[in-house]
Amino acid sequence: MKRKGFTLTELLIALAVIGILIAILLPIIYNLMPDKNALMAKRAYYAVQSVTNSLLNDEACYPDKTQALPADQRTGFDDGYGYADCNLWGGRENEEYIEKEDANKKFLTLFVNKLDLKDLKDAQGKSITVDPTKNSFTTKDGIVWTAQEQKLQNTNTDPSIEFLIDVNGDDKPNCKSASDTNCSGKKDFDRFTVRIHDDGTIDILEDWALDAVGITHDVTGSN
């Protein structure tokens, strides 16, 4: 009995059908795949939230001054004093406090110390100390953080500190919003800014990161 094979026309039709199915399914599969940058954005945000809450509830470094005289009252990280029992921003035992009126540097120093930093080495293999007020720094998960310090002044009614966070480190495209020329799609976003207010409230300034974290309301709590 003679076997009948596929004709060229049938093969072409089959290939065309397969091509159409691939064209339909690929976008669906792509959208179902986890967005690594979104996951890393969520991870970074929760790190900011956790560290900020931990610091501002640390009585050793930020004691409650709400009942003090008006000139001595402090709220959140507007407190730059170096208390004796605040390990990284304090002094010797039995001293009440050391006057260090540099509130931003105090908060940044304590904040960075609580992050899981990547070990930095110089050309000779010696450890490099990170100055968070001057340098970008990298955590062990590959996220690059750059502190964009806002000056704390008596006339400033809303002192804050901003971090530019690059969730994939040195990898490109390095874009925050669709207006950036090097962004070509939803999953290309890899940078966002968080603003930490002196009372501990946190803003996310880019919509893609708000979506990634799952915040659809005003994170300051004013709404």
Side-chain angles (χ1 to χ4, degrees), residues 90-148:
R92 298 182 298 274
E93 293 181 3
N94 302 321
E95 287 192 40
E96 182 179 355
Y97 63 80
I98 299 171
E99 292 191 12
K100 291 184 180 179
E101 280 290 3
D102 194 344
N104 271 29
K105 188 170 184 180
K106 174 183 176 180
F107 182 80
L108 286 171
T109 300
L110 298 174
F111 186 99
V112 172
N113 182 66
K114 283 184 173 291
L115 293 175
D116 193 12
L117 293 185
K118 182 178 180 180
D119 295 330
L120 298 178
K121 305 287 184 181
D122 61 17
Q124 286 73 43
K126 295 181 180 179
S127 296
I128 300 173
T129 301
V130 174
D131 182 348
T133 63
K134 296 179 181 179
N135 310 117
S136 294
F137 51 92
T138 305
T139 43
K140 289 182 179 178
D141 52 15
I143 298 174
V144 174
W145 307 65
T146 304
Q148 303 181 336

Side-chain angles (χ1 to χ4, degrees), residues 52-188:
T52 299
N53 288 340
S54 174
L55 284 178
L56 299 188
N57 286 292
D58 183 353
E59 283 289 321
C61 294
Y62 291 101
D64 186 355
K65 292 281 187 175
T66 55
Q67 301 302 316
L69 296 174
D72 293 326
Q73 287 181 358
R74 308 269 168 197
T75 304
F77 70 72
D78 68 345
D79 187 344
Y81 283 106
Y83 298 96
D85 50 357
C86 184
N87 292 334
L88 289 181
W89 199 258
R92 298 182 298 274
E93 293 181 3
N94 302 321
E95 287 192 40
E96 182 179 355
Y97 63 80
I98 299 171
E99 292 191 12
K100 291 184 180 179
E101 280 290 3
D102 194 344
N104 271 29
K105 188 170 184 180
K106 174 183 176 180
F107 182 80
L108 286 171
T109 300
L110 298 174
F111 186 99
V112 172
N113 182 66
K114 283 184 173 291
L115 293 175
D116 193 12
L117 293 185
K118 182 178 180 180
D119 295 330
L120 298 178
K121 305 287 184 181
D122 61 17
Q124 286 73 43
K126 295 181 180 179
S127 296
I128 300 173
T129 301
V130 174
D131 182 348
T133 63
K134 296 179 181 179
N135 310 117
S136 294
F137 51 92
T138 305
T139 43
K140 289 182 179 178
D141 52 15
I143 298 174
V144 174
W145 307 65
T146 304
Q148 303 181 336
E149 184 177 356
Q150 308 295 308
K151 297 299 181 183
L152 289 172
Q153 299 174 347
N154 292 333
T155 56
N156 188 349
T157 58
D158 185 19
S160 62
I161 289 175
E162 290 183 3
F163 281 106
L164 175 63
I165 299 174
D166 192 332
V167 298
N168 62 353
D170 296 330
D171 293 340
K172 294 180 180 180
N174 297 331
C175 75
K176 295 195 297 182
S177 66
S179 61
D180 291 348
T181 56
N182 49 343
C183 287
S184 61
K186 180 180 178 182
K187 295 192 178 185
D188 279 342

Side-chain angles (χ1 to χ4, degrees), residues 45-46 49 202-204 207 209-220:
Y45 171 72
Y46 287 133
Q49 191 178 53
I202 302 167
D203 292 332
I204 297 177
D207 288 340
L210 279 172
D211 292 339
V213 172
I215 295 177
T216 57
H217 61 280
D218 182 353
V219 293
T220 64

Side-chain angles (χ1 to χ4, degrees), residues 17-45:
V17 171
I18 292 172
I20 293 171
L21 289 174
I22 290 174
I24 294 172
L25 293 175
L26 273 182
I28 297 173
I29 295 171
Y30 179 76
N31 288 327
L32 289 176
M33 291 175 63
D35 185 341
K36 183 179 179 182
N37 287 351
L39 293 175
M40 295 301 287
K42 184 178 292 189
R43 179 171 183 162
Y45 171 72

